[in-house]
């Protein structure tokens, strides 16, 4: 094997520090230690050992750090003077990691673990460090071995000891303090301690990542569900795929299992299937697998034990099989800890964890997840068994409630009859009342008809005949009407449908005059005939009439409107609920004719009539439709009122889709208010849940999640918004090009807020690709520009350059976007010297700035020619900004030259092919800077008080540049004059602006 040189090892160490964490980085770091030791360079060997310890720390192999640390400690003991201040500090800092690694390694005897702790305490004392980290390490060791009194003493001593350079960061310390509170059963205290970290006030490399996961169950136990939801969505995004955070991933999986989100937990498990194999760090393995076991047990309880799970160690397993494998291996690890510690605490806590019961039925998370398949137990169970019904203590009472609900068309009727059916099926047939048996059969036939079952007509005919035999003529008449409706639904011939409708009407009219329901049966048959006849007329008119209706044109709707109007007039007093139904249809007819103002009072009247009839649930559809119409005619306050009424009246509605629609409507309306984002998010979240329940995840569920993401973004919850949007992105992309572009751009904006520049650029570029074929090139140009900015931020200069140039080309095609052109030209100017500081690059930067100024001057000239008064203020402000930025580029050139001490174009200067040697006249460039900034400041002054801050920036820049060339008094005079001018202004100048100006002057004179 060829021996590496010192230079190659140093290069390898630099590369290794930038490798992704994991086993590959660790193996490379191990090889570099061997290479450094082989060449006999002790300093390089120490650096390589330090690098290896850090590599192990940020991986699932952290327990391996003991060996390289021991070797590094030996190096220190041999020659402490060889370690500089930073190297010595790093060594003592790593003692804390090693103390944890020893405690987490069951193969290390307890005596050795205690010995290491004593050694840490001795060395810290000699080095003059506080005992604070030592007492924290003692706390966790004492807790693990069941010495609770010692743990409490160590806890008090930890908090009492002084903080110094060896103390953990505040975020990590607060994590530990809160974790100890949880162990003592005080969730509230833990969350209080964690708050600065969870709020982002205290952070580090792994915080708040770990605490967002750790806080999940305490939040659930305290009923703080909104926070738990947010911590999961935000925290999982931060922890996903991070090998050193596998215990946190396990906590997110456990949270999903205990909050009714088993499918989400299964998806997270699948994403981390590659980490399922045994880990070097067995404590991390037990923590990770513990969360998985909670999920697997829950899935088994739900009937999914025989479903396929992820592979383990390369072997496929079902859910139940994987549970047994992980449980056995985890308990084996726990027993090893118990044997080392002389207590069963580790295994006791582990068993208590994996046996936890759900803490909440279902906590909607907002993010999309694929629903679990129905288990065999659910598939084989009677349909009624899985339909929730209000409890009833007495069977006769239940039957009476079911019949009342049926007559009222109450939403709970289906569930009540389903429960009645279950109880009837459990009784011997000869003990069941024949009328009740017919009622149960009637409900089941109706359910079959609604679902379009092929045998629906046969079931309805049988029910009709049973009612006739029992002398229940009014029920038989209703069955006749349902036969006609089922025929229409199944696409029967119009003639046959009309025959059935006529039979149904005759059956209703033939009822005895003293039958209380005779009038209702007749009216219901008439309304059904009106509705179905309208459908049949449109069907018979042929496809040539199937087009959008133009406002003011009848298209056959006049006859339908007349029929509905007559029906309302005839039955408004006697049967207000049926009149309300007809009135809602009238409103829909008006909308189809393009007359929203005519539809609005009809929909309002329909809702009011239903509510006054004691059937508020019937008003929901009309109110939701009315809210949408009101938004379309820009009456948002009334729209919100209608949507809130719909939500209020939907309390007893059991149909999941309706519940979703009501909440999505209100959420969408609220999102248009500047002050209602939080409430909009709440309703959108619930809407998504209901759409999922209705099996409409990809449709209404996707739109609800889009509204939810926008509401989160409005609240600056960008991580939550991005996670929600990404989860449903494939669904949203199926809803047309316009939405595809819009949601990708929105996602790009969110990722930009999260400083994920590469991912943001990808979304902008994908959106631009979709918009490429559009007639208007401006959307594509704007997206390409946004992508270029993010590519530049990610230091992908070549890709950024291509995107900027494409955007510039598109904007120039439009001929009406000078400001966009200018901003791109300025960006290109800044990019020019970034990788190439030769003379040619500086010349290109100047040329691009000059081009930008030229574009603006041309636009200003055209603006002056085509409009009255002064030219567009925005163009003038951009021109001032261009002069200022050119001055800043010149400053960069001077600074670069002074730092390198080389002439432009030297071999070491990074000059490109077109570079040439040239002296840099730094004084001339400084003078030009002053002239440019002064010119920009004067232009900002002309633009008035809105640009006082910009003007201060220019004057301050000019003043400092004056000082650079030895003209201190001139610079101070510029700032003094501006301060006096500010103070003399009739308008009130912001106090902070004056303070900034005075501070700049004081600094200049100091």
């Amino acid at each position: 094997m060829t021996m590496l040189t010192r230079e190659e090892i140093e290069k390898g160490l630099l590369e290794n520090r930038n490798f992704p964490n994991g086993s590959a980085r660790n193996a490379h770091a191990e090889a570099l230690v061997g290479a450094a030791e082989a060449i006999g360079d002790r300093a390089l060997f120490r650096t390589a050992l330090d690098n290896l310890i850090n590599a192990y720390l940020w991986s699932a192999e952290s327990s391996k750090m003991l060996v390289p640390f021991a070797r590094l400690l030996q190096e220190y003991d041999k020659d402490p003077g060889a370690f500089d201040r930073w190297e010595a500090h790093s060594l003592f800092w790593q003692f804390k990691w090693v103390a944890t690694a020893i405690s987490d390694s069951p193969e290390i005897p307890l005596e050795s673990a205690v010995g290491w702790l004593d050694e840490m305490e001795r060395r810290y004392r000699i080095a003059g460090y506080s005992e604070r980290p030592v007492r924290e390490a003692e706390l966790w060791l004492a807790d693990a071995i069941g010495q609770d009194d010692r743990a409490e003493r160590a806890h008090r001593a930890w908090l009492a000891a002084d903080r110094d350079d060896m103390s953990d960061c505040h975020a990590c310390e607060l994590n530990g303090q809160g974790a100890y509170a949880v162990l003592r059963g005080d969730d509230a205290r833990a969350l209080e301690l964690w708050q600065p970290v969870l709020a982002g006030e205290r952070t580090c490399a792994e915080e708040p990542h770990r605490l967002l996961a750790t806080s999940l169950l305490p939040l659930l136990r305290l009923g703080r569900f909104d926070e738990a939801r947010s911590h999961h969505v935000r925290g999982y995004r931060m922890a996903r795929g991070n090998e050193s955070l596998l215990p946190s991933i396990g906590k997110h999986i456990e949270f999903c299992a205990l909050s009714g989100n088993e499918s989400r937990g299964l998806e997270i498990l699948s994403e981390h299937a590659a980490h399922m194999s045994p880990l070097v760090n067995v404590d991390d393995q037990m923590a990770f697998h513990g969360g998985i076991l909670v999920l697997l047990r829950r899935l088994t309880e739900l009937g999914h034990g025989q479903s396929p799970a992820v592979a383990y160690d390369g072997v496929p397993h079902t859910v139940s099989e994987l549970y047994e494998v992980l449980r056995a291996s985890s308990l084996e690890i726990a027993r090893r800890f118990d044997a080392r510690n002389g207590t069963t605490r580790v295994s006791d806590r582990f068993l208590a964890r994996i046996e936890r019961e759900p803490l909440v039925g279902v906590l909607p998370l907002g993010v999309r997840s694929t629903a679990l398949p129905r288990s065999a137990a659910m598939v084989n169970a009677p349909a009624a068994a899985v339909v929730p019904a209000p409890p009833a203590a007495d069977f006769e009472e239940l039957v009476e409630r079911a019949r009342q609900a049926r007559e009222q068309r109450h939403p709970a009727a289906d569930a009540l009859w389903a429960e009645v059916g279950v109880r009837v099926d459990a009784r011997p047939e000869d003990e069941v009342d024949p009328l009740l048996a017919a009622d149960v059969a009637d409900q089941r036939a109706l359910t079959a008809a609604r679902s379009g079952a092929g045998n629906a007509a046969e079931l309805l005919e049988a029910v009709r005949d049973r009612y006739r035999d029992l002398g229940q003529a009014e029920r038989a008449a209703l069955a006749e009407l349902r036969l006609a409706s089922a025929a229409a639904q199944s696409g029967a011939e119009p003639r046959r449908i009309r025959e059935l409708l006529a039979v149904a009407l005759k059956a209703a009219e033939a009822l005895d005059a003293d039958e209380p329901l005779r009038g209702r049966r007749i009216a219901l048959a008439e309304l059904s005939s009106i509705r179905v006849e309208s459908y049949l007329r449109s069907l018979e008119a042929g496809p040539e009439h199937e087009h959008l209706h133009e406002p003011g044109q009848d298209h056959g709707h006049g006859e339908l409107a007349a029929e509905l109007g007559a029906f309302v007039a005839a039955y408004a007093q006697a049967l207000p609920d049926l009149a309300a139904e007809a009135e809602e249809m009238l409103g829909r007819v008006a909308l189809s004719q393009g007359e929203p103002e005519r539809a609005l009072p009809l929909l309002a009247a329909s809702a009011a009539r239903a509510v006054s009839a004691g059937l508020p649930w019937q008003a929901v559809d009309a109110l939701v439709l009315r809210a949408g119409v009101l938004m379309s005619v820009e009456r948002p306050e009334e729209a919100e009122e209608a949507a809130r009424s719909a939500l209020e009246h939907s309390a007893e509605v059991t149909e999941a889709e309706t519940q979703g629609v009501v909440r999505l409507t209100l959420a969408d309306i609220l999102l248009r208010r500047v002050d209602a984002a939080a409430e909009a998010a709440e309703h959108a979240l619930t809407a998504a849940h209901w759409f999922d329940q209705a099996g409409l995840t990809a449709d209404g569920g996707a739109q609800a999640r889009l509204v939810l993401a926008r509401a989160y973004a409005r609240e600056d919850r960008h991580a939550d918004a991005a996670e929600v949007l990404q989860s449903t992105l494939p669904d949203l992309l199926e809803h047309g090009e316009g939405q595809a572009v819009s949601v990708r751009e929105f996602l790009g904006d969110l990722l930009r807020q999260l400083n994920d520049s590469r991912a943001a650029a990808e979304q902008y570029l994908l959106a631009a690709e979709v918009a490429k074929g559009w007639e208007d090139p401006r959307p594509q140009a704007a997206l390409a520009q946004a992508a270029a900015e993010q590519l530049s931020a990610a230091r992908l200069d070549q890709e950024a350059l291509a995107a900027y140039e494409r955007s510039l080309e598109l904007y120039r095609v439009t001929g009406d976007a000078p400001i966009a052109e200018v901003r791109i030209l300025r960006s290109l100017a800044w990019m020019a010297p970034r990788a190439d500081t030769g003379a040619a690059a500086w010349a290109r930067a100047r040329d691009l700035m000059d081009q930008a100024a030229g574009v603006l001057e041309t636009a200003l000239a055209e603006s002056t020619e085509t409009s009255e008064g002064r030219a567009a203020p925005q163009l003038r402000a951009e021109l001032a900004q261009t002069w200022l930025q050119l001055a800043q580029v010149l400053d960069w050139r001077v600074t670069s030259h002074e730092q390198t001490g080389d002439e432009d174009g030297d071999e070491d200067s990074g000059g490109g092919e077109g570079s040439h040697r040239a002296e840099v006249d730094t004084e001339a460039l400084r003078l030009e800077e002053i002239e440019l900034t002064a010119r920009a400041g004067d232009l900002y002054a002309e633009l008035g008080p809105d640009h006082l801050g910009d003007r201060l920036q220019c004057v301050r820049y000019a003043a400092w540049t004056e000082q650079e060339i030895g003209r201190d008094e001139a610079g101070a005079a510029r700032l003094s004059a501006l301060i006096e001018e500010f103070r003399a202004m009739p308008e009130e100048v912001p106090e902070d602006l004056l303070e900034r100006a005075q501070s700049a002057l004081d600094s200049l004179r100091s």
Side-chain angles (χ1 to χ4, degrees):
M1 179 179 176
T2 305
M3 185 177 293
L4 297 178
T5 65
R6 175 186 175 86
E7 290 72 22
E8 290 171 333
I9 295 171
E10 289 176 337
K11 181 180 179 183
L13 288 170
L14 180 61
E15 292 172 347
N16 188 260
R17 294 186 187 101
N18 296 319
F19 277 5
N21 297 325
S23 56
R25 179 191 178 193
N26 294 350
H28 185 223
E30 290 165 357
L32 291 171
V33 168
E37 187 175 22
I39 66 172
D41 187 323
R42 307 314 297 173
L44 189 60
F45 177 56
R46 294 193 300 271
T47 302
L49 285 171
D50 180 80
N51 177 71
L52 179 57
I53 293 167
N54 279 274
Y56 282 147
L57 175 70
W58 302 107
S59 74
E61 299 179 340
S62 56
S63 57
K64 282 187 174 182
M65 73 173 67
L66 301 179
V67 173
F69 178 78
R71 298 185 71 184
L72 189 59
L73 192 60
Q74 289 174 356
E75 292 291 313
Y76 180 81
D77 289 339
K78 288 177 186 176
D79 186 7
F83 285 65
D84 64 24
R85 182 184 177 195
W86 168 247
E87 289 171 336
H89 182 276
S90 177
L91 176 70
F92 279 87
W93 186 272
Q94 289 165 354
F95 242 117
K96 299 183 296 181
W97 303 344
V98 170
T100 300
I102 290 173
S103 180
D104 292 346
S105 302
E107 65 275 8
I108 297 179
L110 184 59
E111 296 76 12
S112 298
V114 173
W116 268 98
L117 187 63
D118 292 341
E119 181 67 8
M120 178 183 178
E121 181 174 13
R122 183 183 71 82
R123 288 180 179 266
Y124 270 42
R125 185 168 57 251
I126 292 172
Y129 290 121
S130 168
E131 67 170 346
R132 191 177 180 93
V134 180
R135 299 285 76 84
E136 181 182 8
E138 181 186 9
L139 161 64
W140 298 119
L141 180 60
D143 175 73
I145 61 179
Q147 296 181 358
D148 293 341
D149 290 342
R150 181 182 179 187
E152 180 57 29
R153 289 194 301 273
H155 177 248
R156 290 196 296 266
W158 169 27
L159 299 184
D162 293 334
R163 285 184 55 83
D164 63 6
D165 289 346
M166 206 49 60
S167 300
D168 281 342
C169 74
H170 285 285
C172 289
E173 282 206 338
L174 291 173
N175 182 331
Q177 292 166 22
Y180 186 64
V182 170
L183 287 176
R184 295 162 66 190
D186 195 345
D187 290 336
R189 174 57 179 162
L191 289 164
E192 181 182 345
L193 287 165
W194 291 337
Q195 183 55 31
V197 183
L198 297 172
E201 298 167 12
R202 301 285 189 180
T203 62
C204 70
E206 287 194 332
E207 296 297 356
H209 315 46
R210 294 183 301 166
L211 265 186
L212 287 167
T214 304
S215 67
L216 293 172
L217 295 194
L219 286 168
L220 283 184
R221 286 193 290 260
L222 292 172
R224 292 163 61 172
F225 299 137
D226 289 341
E227 292 170 83
R229 175 191 302 113
S230 178
H231 288 195
H232 167 67
V233 174
R234 184 161 56 105
Y236 178 62
R237 181 181 184 85
M238 300 173 79
R240 178 194 285 129
N242 192 326
E243 189 175 286
S244 68
L245 292 175
L246 288 177
S248 295
I249 298 297
K251 291 174 183 176
H252 282 285
I253 293 173
E254 179 181 11
F255 163 79
C256 291
L258 301 180
S259 63
N261 291 285
E262 296 83 5
S263 60
R264 167 79 167 170
L266 202 53
E267 289 174 357
I268 295 174
L269 173 58
S270 298
E271 289 181 9
H272 293 83
H275 296 96
M276 283 291 294
S277 298
L279 304 176
V280 172
N281 186 328
V282 293
D283 189 67
D284 278 4
Q285 177 181 330
M286 191 166 61
F288 178 42
H289 288 180
I292 297 170
L293 283 166
V294 178
L295 172 67
L296 296 175
R297 182 180 61 81
R298 182 69 184 141
L299 289 170
T300 301
E301 291 173 349
L302 293 173
H304 298 284
Q306 299 310 307
S307 299
V310 298
Y312 177 71
D313 218 7
V315 179
H317 291 287
T318 65
V319 167
S320 295
E321 290 169 346
L322 184 59
Y323 176 84
E324 294 302 330
V325 170
L326 296 187
R327 187 177 189 276
S329 62
S330 297
L331 284 176
E332 192 278 328
I333 295 171
R335 292 188 187 103
R336 286 161 55 192
F337 275 109
D338 290 346
R340 193 274 300 268
N341 297 339
T343 173
T344 61
R345 169 156 290 184
V346 172
S347 57
D348 290 344
R349 283 180 176 171
F350 183 79
L351 286 168
R353 178 188 185 187
I354 66 174
E355 292 170 3
R356 283 174 178 152
E357 294 297 324
L359 295 167
V360 61
V362 177
L363 176 64
L365 299 178
V367 290
R368 186 201 198 282
S369 60
T370 303
L372 293 173
R374 293 187 67 194
S375 66
M378 294 176 67
V379 170
N380 295 327
V386 295
V387 178
D394 181 78
F395 180 61
E396 286 70 21
E397 178 193 344
L398 175 64
V399 172
E400 180 60 27
R401 287 171 58 191
R403 284 174 171 158
Q404 289 179 355
R406 181 179 65 188
E407 293 310 316
Q408 290 181 319
R409 293 188 289 174
H410 192 286
D414 290 344
L416 287 165
W417 277 112
E419 178 62 22
V420 170
V422 170
R423 299 198 190 186
V424 165
D425 289 343
R427 295 186 173 196
E429 188 174 347
D430 58 355
E431 294 183 10
V432 179
D433 175 59
L435 178 57
L436 179 58
D439 285 342
V440 171
D442 179 37
Q443 181 66 27
R444 289 174 177 171
L446 177 60
T447 301
R450 287 170 178 165
S451 65
N455 65 340
E458 180 182 345
L459 293 173
L460 287 166
E461 288 172 353
V463 167
R464 175 199 61 193
D465 294 343
R466 292 177 76 169
Y467 277 134
R468 283 177 178 172
D469 292 342
L470 292 168
Q472 296 290 318
E474 63 89 10
R475 297 301 304 170
L478 185 58
E480 294 281 18
L481 184 58
R482 287 173 177 166
L483 273 167
S485 298
Q489 183 178 343
S490 64
E493 289 291 326
R495 181 181 60 79
R496 175 61 179 159
I497 298 171
R498 288 189 173 105
E499 288 175 355
L500 291 171
L501 285 169
V503 169
L505 180 57
K506 287 180 181 178
E509 292 173 338
L511 293 172
D512 291 342
D514 58 353
E515 166 58 55
L517 293 174
R518 181 177 183 274
R520 171 171 286 278
R521 295 289 176 262
I522 293 172
L524 195 56
E526 289 178 358
L527 183 58
S528 296
S529 294
I530 292 170
R531 181 187 290 109
V532 173
E533 188 60 41
S534 172
Y535 159 71
L536 294 177
R537 285 197 296 263
S538 65
L539 197 66
E540 292 170 336
E544 64 273 13
H545 293 284
E546 294 178 7
H547 53 76
L548 293 176
H549 302 293
E550 298 294 334
Q553 296 186 14
D554 185 81
H555 297 288
H557 287 292
E559 185 177 354
L560 174 60
E563 293 169 347
L564 289 170
F567 183 92
V568 171
Y571 293 106
Q573 299 302 317
L575 298 169
D577 59 319
L578 295 183
E581 196 173 326
E583 218 156 18
E584 181 185 337
M585 291 174 62
L586 269 171
R588 293 181 184 275
V589 169
L591 288 175
S592 70
Q593 294 178 301
E595 299 182 43
E597 294 296 346
R598 185 162 66 88
L600 286 171
L602 290 167
L603 296 171
S606 170
R609 204 181 297 277
V611 172
S612 65
L615 309 175
W617 52 86
Q618 189 180 318
V620 172
D621 287 348
L623 287 167
V624 168
L625 182 57
R626 187 169 189 271
V629 175
L630 285 165
M631 286 302 295
S632 72
V633 296
E634 299 184 359
R635 290 158 63 180
E637 293 84 4
E638 294 173 76
E640 182 180 335
E641 180 182 356
R644 289 193 184 280
S645 294
L647 181 61
E648 176 187 352
H649 296 319
S650 71
E652 297 181 77
V653 173
T654 58
E655 187 182 27
E657 181 178 0
T658 300
Q659 292 286 358
V661 169
V662 170
R663 285 163 173 78
L664 177 56
T665 301
L666 179 55
D668 195 37
I669 292 169
L670 290 171
L671 193 59
R672 317 215 182 173
R673 278 176 37 188
V674 297
D675 60 343
E679 188 183 357
E682 177 186 345
H683 292 303
L685 176 71
T686 311
H689 169 71
W690 281 112
F691 283 124
D692 290 347
Q693 296 299 303
L696 298 171
T697 298
D699 299 304
Q703 298 306 318
R705 288 183 170 89
L706 177 57
V707 172
L708 176 61
R710 294 196 183 282
Y712 280 159
R714 187 81 62 77
E715 294 184 280
D716 293 331
R717 294 170 58 180
H718 300 111
D720 300 54
E723 195 70 12
V724 169
L725 189 60
Q726 283 179 306
S727 75
T728 197
L729 186 62
D731 299 325
L732 293 169
L733 296 179
E734 297 299 318
H735 291 258
E737 284 190 354
Q739 178 157 286
V741 169
S742 173
V743 297
R744 285 202 184 278
E745 182 180 15
F746 178 32
L747 180 55
D749 293 344
L750 293 172
L751 294 169
R752 175 175 52 81
Q753 290 287 344
L754 296 171
N755 297 316
D756 194 345
S757 300
R758 285 174 179 256
E762 179 185 11
Q763 292 303 322
Y764 291 137
L765 290 172
L766 288 169
E769 186 64 23
V770 176
K772 186 164 63 175
W774 293 2
E775 183 177 347
D776 185 356
R778 282 173 292 189
Q780 185 190 357
L783 289 163
Q785 182 180 1
E789 291 167 356
Q790 293 307 298
L791 290 166
S792 177
R795 308 299 291 188
L796 297 171
D797 291 351
Q798 293 304 312
E799 293 85 348
L801 184 63
Y804 272 130
E805 289 178 345
R806 177 58 177 158
S807 178
L808 186 61
E809 176 187 355
L810 290 166
Y811 276 128
R812 284 175 171 168
V813 168
T814 69
D816 62 354
I819 291 176
E821 284 188 56
V822 163
R823 290 177 178 176
I824 293 172
L825 288 167
R826 292 199 305 241
S827 296
L828 288 169
W830 281 105
M831 288 186 67
R834 196 146 81 179
D836 176 1
T837 56
W842 294 115
R844 173 163 171 73
R846 178 188 282 273
D847 178 62
L848 288 163
M849 286 292 185
D850 289 343
Q851 287 183 45
V855 169
L856 288 166
E857 288 163 354
T858 299
L860 281 165
E862 293 173 354
S863 174
T864 303
E865 293 171 3
T866 57
S867 61
E868 296 180 3
R870 304 182 64 176
Q874 192 173 4
L875 291 171
R876 294 163 63 80
E878 289 293 332
L879 182 57
Q881 183 61 212
T882 302
W883 290 335
L884 175 59
Q885 288 197 30
L886 175 55
Q888 291 169 331
V889 168
L890 297 179
D891 176 70
W892 182 14
R893 184 181 187 187
V894 172
T895 303
S896 174
H897 174 75
E898 291 175 346
Q899 287 176 345
T900 61
D902 295 324
E903 297 170 347
D904 283 336
D906 264 2
E907 290 82 3
D908 297 330
S909 71
E913 185 177 332
S915 302
H916 59 276
R917 298 178 65 85
E919 288 288 344
V920 176
D921 189 342
T922 57
E923 183 172 356
L925 290 174
R926 291 296 191 198
L927 289 171
E928 187 176 359
E929 286 179 56
I930 294 168
E931 190 275 328
L932 285 166
T933 50
R935 196 193 317 169
D938 290 344
L939 187 48
Y940 277 132
E942 294 175 13
L943 290 169
D946 289 344
H947 292 274
L948 292 179
D950 297 315
R951 188 178 173 199
L952 172 59
Q953 182 186 12
C954 292
V955 172
R956 185 170 54 189
Y957 194 109
W960 279 108
T961 309
E962 296 265 24
Q963 188 187 55
E964 288 286 338
I965 59 176
R967 293 167 23 177
D968 297 23
E969 290 305 318
R974 287 179 184 273
L975 272 170
S976 297
L978 182 64
I979 291 170
E980 292 304 315
E981 185 179 343
F982 278 179
R983 287 174 175 159
M985 282 184 175
E987 308 91 355
E988 185 175 336
V989 177
E991 187 64 32
D992 67 311
L993 199 65
L994 275 169
E995 289 176 0
R996 282 159 49 201
Q998 187 62 52
S999 175
L1001 180 59
D1002 294 342
S1003 297
L1004 198 67
R1005 286 173 170 169
S1006 62

